[in-house]
Amino acid sequence: MPTSPAELPAEDDESLTTAERIPPTWTESIARHASRPFGGPLGRHAQIGRHWFWSPLRVVLLLAVVMLALGWLQKAPCIQQYVDENGVVQLDWRGSRQFTALCYSDTVPLYTAERLDQPGAFPYKTSWKDDEGKPTEHVRYMEYPVLTGLFQWLNARVAQGLVALVPGLPMTVIVFFDVTAFWLALAWLVTVWAVARSARQRVWDAALVAVSPLVIVHAFTNFDALATAFAAGGLLAWARRKPVLAGVLLGIGGAAKLYPLFLLGPLLLLCWRSDRMRAGIITTVSAALAWAAVNLPIALNPDTARGWKEFFRLNTERGVDPDSLYNVISQFTGWPGFDPGLQQGQAPEVLNTVSAVLFVLCCIGIGYVTLSAPTRPRLAQLGFLVVAAFLLTNKVWSPQYSLWLVPLAVLAIPRWKPVLAWMTLDALVWAPRMYFYLGTDNKGLPIDWFLGAVVVRDVAVIALCAMVVREIYRPELDLVRQASDGDPLAGVLEGAPDRRLVTRRRLVPSSGKPRHSDAGGHRSRTQDAV
């Protein structure tokens, strides 16, 4: 019989005793106040886990369904139709409704922009010309990674089939949005489920993922919920000691959006510190093979090879995003940027280099933190730091990218007030963004309002990063370690000794007795480990 939570098998959530569960109404004032309409905080002698249906996981999933429904309603004004004076049914975006109603979603314009409305079209094969007849004329293809591009194409085919078979349905683009929203909602439910399973004793922390304000605003803004589902699933598979499955899920997620592949860096660093590189290499190779299995059929096909490169070409040639730090500095200081005067098709090479170098420097810093911390950092902590560093240093921070951080933040630093504060601030950036896009000539907001909100969001993310680093170096402050005295995502690293640490002088390999084990937590760290 296990004698402590750290000794429980990773998948044995049901065997947790009352003493081992962490009721949020005892530790979080937000949860305590929110519980009052339902009877108040949990009593000291209450029986836990006895209800025949309502488990914490099912309650959290129900909360997620409610928030996803609100997210659909938030986008609903942008999927209305009307009949114009010529008797033609049109999408009702009159008066810049997509901005004034704050309901904009990329899904709607992409249906025609990516030629998904053409029955014979296929992503990466079908091409078209932008700026036709102008000096800037150029050939375009599907601009998304393969899994996301095929996801859009399949949904378009389903929508067109439904409209053909079922009389009375609205415009095909509206059906396309609804079909896409259904699968994205399912993907977010998988994300919530994976976080709840990964959190173990702190299962209620997954409620933060479920009720995040970012779900209302961005669950259906783009297709990023696909990537969060694979990333969260990959972390859970690693926690369940399934390195091959973890790699496969992260690799497939990388075929939807690249960010799940960033999690391999922290994972390899932790394996290096613990001298468990075999498991890390297996996961990395599995991820590479899974990514290749999705991409190579498109990349090597002569008919689609050029279209496959479009995603990489556009990301290379793309300039600064409106809410990147580079644009903030440029707008507030009058600085012309790193690459002024670029022509159509020219890549901002200096900007690309600076962005890449800054991200690499941040990763080096995170690597130092990983190898110098007295207690081996948790995987979620490092994953959050890496993804946050990418977003802060990258030239593009599309608003829906913030969804990437939600599950990682909840697993890395489950302090409800600061995490909810950041998510709320980040969600609120949507309003000045939409009214900035509306234009000052159309009673919109000047750019300073939008960029001011961006700065507040970035400061909130940086503050969370600082809190994570603080808890890495002071593990006695880490709420997760207080609950389990270890890393719920450790997987094969659970109980592994520290073999390689950075001291003030050098990297120290240990071939004798272990300096520190994750199973021992911060209570057993030795002087030489410090």
Side-chain angles (χ1 to χ4, degrees), residues 326-410:
Y326 309 102
N327 188 53
V328 170
I329 295 172
S330 177
Q331 292 294 330
F332 283 153
T333 65
W335 171 56
F338 289 111
D339 303 90
L342 290 176
Q343 302 298 317
Q344 173 71 36
Q346 283 187 290
E349 295 180 358
V350 178
L351 173 63
N352 291 341
T353 302
V354 170
S355 176
V357 168
L358 289 177
F359 179 52
V360 169
L361 290 175
C362 288
C363 289
I364 292 173
I366 295 168
Y368 176 81
V369 170
T370 304
L371 298 177
S372 66
T375 297
R376 186 167 60 240
R378 293 188 291 107
L379 178 56
Q381 291 174 317
L382 300 178
F384 175 80
L385 291 177
V386 168
V387 176
F390 173 77
L391 292 176
L392 289 166
T393 60
N394 195 31
K395 62 182 181 179
V396 176
W397 186 331
S398 296
Q400 69 275 3
Y401 289 1
S402 297
L403 288 175
W404 303 356
L405 290 174
V406 172
L408 293 172
V410 170

Side-chain angles (χ1 to χ4, degrees), residues 83-215:
V83 179
D84 64 15
E85 62 274 10
N86 298 319
V88 179
V89 178
Q90 303 280 4
L91 192 68
D92 191 1
W93 280 23
R94 293 173 294 181
S96 300
R97 188 177 190 178
Q98 69 273 30
F99 301 136
T100 59
L102 309 178
C103 62
Y104 175 83
S105 169
D106 285 334
T107 307
V108 176
L110 286 176
Y111 181 69
T112 52
E114 300 290 353
R115 303 315 191 255
L116 299 170
D117 58 326
Q118 299 178 5
F122 184 79
Y124 314 106
K125 181 180 180 180
T126 300
S127 65
W128 63 93
K129 293 181 179 180
D130 276 357
D131 300 336
E132 191 169 2
K134 300 179 181 179
T136 56
E137 176 181 312
H138 57 286
V139 178
R140 288 288 313 279
Y141 293 87
M142 165 66 72
E143 65 184 77
Y144 282 86
V146 170
L147 189 64
T148 303
L150 294 178
F151 173 74
Q152 296 176 63
W153 176 74
L154 286 171
N155 289 337
R157 299 288 84 80
V158 171
Q160 291 161 8
L162 288 173
V163 170
L165 291 173
V166 182
L169 288 180
M171 296 176 64
T172 308
V173 65
I174 296 175
V175 179
F176 170 69
F177 173 86
D178 288 335
V179 171
T180 302
F182 171 81
W183 293 113
L184 292 176
L186 187 61
W188 191 254
L189 290 175
V190 170
T191 304
V192 174
W193 169 82
V195 170
R197 288 302 190 192
S198 299
R200 298 185 64 195
Q201 287 95 331
R202 298 188 59 91
V203 61
W204 285 105
D205 289 338
L208 295 178
V209 182
V211 304
S212 171
L214 287 166
V215 175

Side-chain angles (χ1 to χ4, degrees), residues 282-349:
I282 288 174
T283 299
T284 303
V285 171
S286 300
L289 292 176
W291 183 89
V294 176
N295 281 269
L296 289 184
I298 303 295
L300 299 182
N301 188 319
D303 293 333
T304 57
R306 184 179 178 185
W308 178 79
K309 298 176 184 177
E310 183 78 348
F311 168 74
F312 302 97
R313 182 189 70 81
L314 284 178
N315 278 277
T316 301
E317 296 179 1
R318 190 170 181 176
V320 293
D321 196 60
D323 54 359
S324 69
L325 283 175
Y326 309 102
N327 188 53
V328 170
I329 295 172
S330 177
Q331 292 294 330
F332 283 153
T333 65
W335 171 56
F338 289 111
D339 303 90
L342 290 176
Q343 302 298 317
Q344 173 71 36
Q346 283 187 290
E349 295 180 358

